[in-house]
Every structure is written in C-alpha cells, then in structure tokens.
Amino acid sequence: MKTALALVVGVVVGVVIWFLGASPEWAAVLAVPPTAFGVLVSRVPRATDIVWSSAPPPPGSISTAHASTLASRLAEAAEDPRRYRERFRARFARLGIEASEMPDPEELAERLRRVE
C-alpha cells in the first residue's frame, strides 16, 4: 500500500513538472528521484516504531531475596560444618553439582552477598 502511494506521488510529481512546461521525457526523468526516495522510505522499517515490551523487573526482585536468604544460610552453615555437609551437599548433589567443586561456605556466602 505504501509503495503504491509512493508511485502515485511520483506520477503526480511528473505530471506537475510536465504542466509547468517541461517535455514529457524531462518530466519523467525529474520525477524518478522523488519516486525512488518515496519507495525506499516506504520499504524501510521505521526507527520510531513502538516496541511493546514489558518494563524491566524492579531491583528488589525475587532473585535478590533468594540470594540474600541463601547467603545468610551459608553464613550459618560456615559456623556449623556438619550442617553444611548434611544440608547443602545433599541439595547440590540433587542438582548435579559436585560439592568438592564448590568453594567453602564463607567464600560462597561472600559471593552471594555481592550478587545482592
């Protein structure tokens, strides 16, 4: 639809130039650049088109709450090594994470505090 409108505008420009006294050949030659520009503009997507997307989540999202909760639990587990072995190693194993590859609880708690 937009391309057809650009072509119609080009024909109108050519006819106006012809009525102003130019020969039909010159009117056609002078109407080509505005017509080509109109077709180009009608084919290119607009940079000002509205992109409908949701707003980003607020900074106090649920992931921050989980990180702070886990950091405090790891800090408690650092004080009690038995608790770390019983609770966290079993949960890591269910997730397929080797507990031997994980840093010690103090370092892990510190990393999670930085995530907050």
Side-chain angles (χ1 to χ4, degrees), residues 70-81 83-85 88-89 92 97-114:
L70 185 56
S72 65
R73 288 185 181 174
L74 279 170
E76 292 172 3
E79 296 170 3
D80 186 10
R83 186 176 188 182
Y84 177 74
R85 283 192 309 272
F88 287 100
R89 283 194 176 191
F92 288 148
I97 301 171
E98 249 340 284
S100 61
E101 296 173 3
M102 296 296 295
D104 62 327
E106 295 94 5
E107 183 182 346
L108 192 56
E110 182 58 35
R111 286 184 188 181
L112 286 170
R113 279 192 198 90
R114 281 186 261 150

Side-chain angles (χ1 to χ4, degrees), residues 54-68:
S54 62
S61 67
I62 192 72
S63 62
T64 304
H66 283 301
S68 65

Side-chain angles (χ1 to χ4, degrees), residues 9-67:
V9 168
V11 170
V12 169
V13 167
V15 170
V16 168
I17 292 173
W18 179 53
F19 278 139
L20 291 175
S23 67
E25 295 84 21
W26 274 108
V29 168
L30 293 174
V32 168
T35 305
F37 181 73
V39 169
L40 178 69
V41 167
S42 69
R43 297 248 178 198
V44 175
R46 292 184 175 186
T48 58
D49 283 347
I50 297 173
V51 177
W52 296 103
S53 62
S54 62
S61 67
I62 192 72
S63 62
T64 304
H66 283 301

